[in-house]
Amino acid sequence: MTKIKAIVFDFDGTLSCRPRCAYDKYKSDVHYVFPDLKENTIEFESVVQNLLTWDQYGTINKDYVYRQLVKTYNLDEEWVDVLTKRWLEDFHTFSILREGVKETLIKLRENYKVGCITNGNSQTQHSKLEYCNFR
């Protein structure tokens, strides 16, 4: 019989509530790009939902997401680089862990090696782990 020696988790969607993190981040982006657009309006929420749709649960490159924003709302092309850079710099600050994650990981570490795997951008993922005190 093979003994389990380690347990590995995906961060986004497993340890964290990625849909909520992305929603909050995209709301921040909409405030940044359209400062006069009121948050509790259909117009504001429409832009946020478009960003989430283009994001496809994090499987799509942010460059594409922001190119779609620029194209759809006739914005200056410079916004693509500005918003992509902002994503890399601050998306981790929107991380929200699922309830009980820290306690569960602490308990598991008593008997197993615990790791995190990802298909996300390395810089962004390391920032999330540090932000959540997992390093």
Side-chain angles (χ1 to χ4, degrees):
M1 179 190 307
T2 304
K3 181 179 176 190
I4 296 173
K5 297 178 183 175
I7 301 174
V8 182
F9 296 93
D10 180 43
F11 186 84
D12 294 312
T14 303
L15 301 179
S16 77
C17 185
R18 205 261 178 207
R20 175 60 193 266
C21 303
Y23 179 77
D24 290 345
K25 171 61 172 125
Y26 285 132
K27 279 177 51 178
S28 172
D29 286 345
V30 174
H31 281 296
Y32 188 70
V33 176
F34 304 104
D36 295 331
L37 198 55
K38 302 284 187 239
E39 183 171 332
N40 294 321
T41 64
I42 291 171
E43 293 82 8
F44 182 93
E45 189 63 27
S46 175
V47 179
V48 174
Q49 291 302 316
N50 280 336
L51 287 162
L52 288 167
T53 299
W54 298 323
D55 181 78
Q56 292 293 303
Y57 299 101
T59 62
I60 302 298
N61 186 295
K62 297 309 160 267
D63 186 72
Y64 172 82
V65 172
Y66 294 124
R67 283 195 188 287
Q68 290 302 111
L69 180 73
V70 163
K71 180 179 164 185
T72 302
Y73 296 98
N74 297 315
L75 302 173
D76 188 336
E77 211 33 59
E78 293 175 5
W79 279 110
V80 175
D81 291 335
V82 169
L83 293 169
T84 301
K85 182 180 180 204
R86 282 189 72 201
W87 181 279
L88 292 172
E89 290 174 350
D90 71 1
F91 180 60
H92 67 279
T93 65
F94 293 87
S95 295
I96 301 168
L97 294 177
R98 293 188 182 277
E99 188 174 329
V101 162
K102 284 202 173 194
E103 298 81 6
T104 300
L105 293 177
I106 289 168
K107 189 71 175 162
L108 286 171
R109 286 184 68 185
E110 292 174 5
N111 297 304
Y112 306 99
K113 290 183 181 183
V114 176
C116 189
I117 59 171
T118 184
N119 62 341
N121 173 283
S122 179
Q123 175 188 347
T124 302
Q125 299 303 73
H126 282 284
S127 295
K128 288 183 221 175
L129 292 171
E130 288 175 17
Y131 182 78
C132 294
N133 296 315
F134 283 155
R135 299 202 98 215

